[in-house]
Amino acid sequence: MARVTTTLDAWRRERRAMEPLSVGFVPTMGALHPGHRSLLERARAENDRVVMSIFVNPTQFNDPADLERYPRTLEADLELAGDLVDHVLVPSPAEMYPDGYAYRVTENALSASMEGAHRPGHFDGVLTVVLKLLNLVRPHRAYFGEKDRQQLELVRGMAGALMLPVEIVPCPTVRDPDGVAQSSRNRRLSPEARARASAFPRILRESADAKAAAAALERSGFGVDYVQDRGGVRLGAVRLEDVRLIDNVRL
Ligand code: PAF
């Protein structure tokens, strides 16, 4: 069973005790699913020690109701992580934000589009907490899912721009048999909506261009926030019932 640490003082002692081993890090907000497991498996294969954080980061939620509704499932998460993880860091918001979020990381180009345009401040919150976690965990490698592709690109960009001594490792999206990308939000879909969700990645993949994909998604009953082609990848965000889904496919 993994060791769970909830205070930063105790964590710093744990981290010192790992020297000089290599450390792989998987940051999460909990509500783990098989997609997370694939990140943990990769981290396990490539490092001496695997650290996972579970922190539902308040600064990346622009909608307080969304933060409130976010599933918190620590026991099940520890179960799913099993032997893949050596240490789990579960810090408190008070310890993570001793400055009350007065200091933050802002990226001024990519973060304004797509997810950033629909969730103001979201990426400031993500980049700030990822930088804090990287400083606390000091991993050799950190693992991020390609499902959140814009997040992955921004984290990679931050690591380069701020010269962080960490390798950012992208991991392929894990999909259910019907093609739907694994996500903590899927469990909020009704069975009927979950069945309809498989049209989302299919339409992204099969449409001639982003505009045609957006129109086809609307016709299939999705609310469309955006569909955009970027660097050989088509990214999209849709709403089904009151659940927001994001995905991307290689063109
Ligand atoms: O992808 C996530 O779960 C979160 O955005 C992250 C990277 C753990 C930061 O809170």
Side-chain angles (χ1 to χ4, degrees):
M1 230 350 176
R3 289 165 73 90
V4 179
T5 309
T6 58
T7 69
L8 296 190
D9 266 356
W11 166 254
R12 289 186 178 102
R13 280 196 299 278
E14 294 278 355
R15 179 62 186 89
R16 276 195 297 275
M18 285 180 218
E19 298 294 354
L21 300 175
S22 66
V23 172
F25 176 44
V26 179
T28 81
M29 299 206 298
L32 300 189
H33 50 69
H36 291 110
R37 237 190 111 81
S38 79
L39 306 188
L40 295 170
E41 278 164 2
R42 177 94 185 259
R44 177 49 93 205
E46 295 179 349
N47 303 277
D48 298 321
R49 291 287 178 272
V50 177
V51 178
M52 173 174 77
S53 60
I54 298 181
F55 180 62
V56 182
N57 174 34
T59 64
Q60 71 188 75
F61 287 83
N62 53 309
D63 174 2
D66 196 23
L67 171 61
E68 195 63 37
R69 276 198 305 256
Y70 202 85
R72 288 158 173 88
T73 56
L74 183 60
E75 288 309 312
D77 292 344
L78 295 177
E79 187 90 4
L80 186 137
D83 292 341
L84 293 173
V85 174
D86 300 300
H87 296 262
V88 183
L89 173 61
V90 190
S92 68
E95 275 210 298
M96 287 302 284
Y97 291 98
D99 61 333
Y101 197 38
Y103 290 83
R104 60 188 74 177
V105 180
T106 299
E107 189 272 357
N108 271 323
L110 173 59
S111 68
S113 67
M114 297 185 283
E115 283 306 287
H118 288 270
R119 305 180 67 189
H122 170 67
F123 286 121
D124 285 10
V126 170
L127 292 177
T128 303
V129 83
V130 169
L131 181 60
K132 286 171 189 258
L133 290 166
L134 291 173
N135 283 336
L136 287 165
V137 176
R138 294 186 285 114
H140 298 81
R141 300 179 190 83
Y143 297 81
F144 290 84
E146 287 180 347
K147 190 197 144 250
D148 296 307
R149 180 166 288 275
Q150 197 179 359
Q151 165 174 287
L152 165 66
E153 281 189 36
L154 286 164
V155 168
R156 200 160 32 194
M158 173 176 75
L162 303 186
M163 299 157 201
L164 305 181
V166 62
E167 181 191 343
I168 303 299
V169 183
C171 300
T173 303
V174 176
R175 296 182 183 278
D176 284 340
D178 68 349
V180 173
Q182 290 269 345
S183 162
S184 314
R185 289 172 197 272
N186 293 354
R187 61 184 80 170
R188 296 210 333 249
L189 292 168
S190 70
E192 194 251 327
R194 174 62 193 77
R196 283 166 53 210
S198 62
F200 178 31
R202 183 169 45 74
I203 289 171
L204 285 182
R205 196 172 290 113
E206 290 175 359
S207 299
D209 54 35
K211 205 164 155 231
L217 286 164
E218 299 269 9
R219 279 198 303 277
S220 300
F222 294 93
V224 179
D225 278 355
Y226 62 84
V227 180
Q228 200 168 303
D229 292 348
R230 189 174 186 279
V233 177
R234 179 165 296 151
L235 302 92
V238 294
R239 283 164 281 107
L240 197 51
E241 297 177 332
D242 64 340
V243 183
R244 196 164 177 282
L245 304 174
I246 69 171
D247 203 348
N248 64 87
V249 300
R250 237 170 246 290
L251 295 174

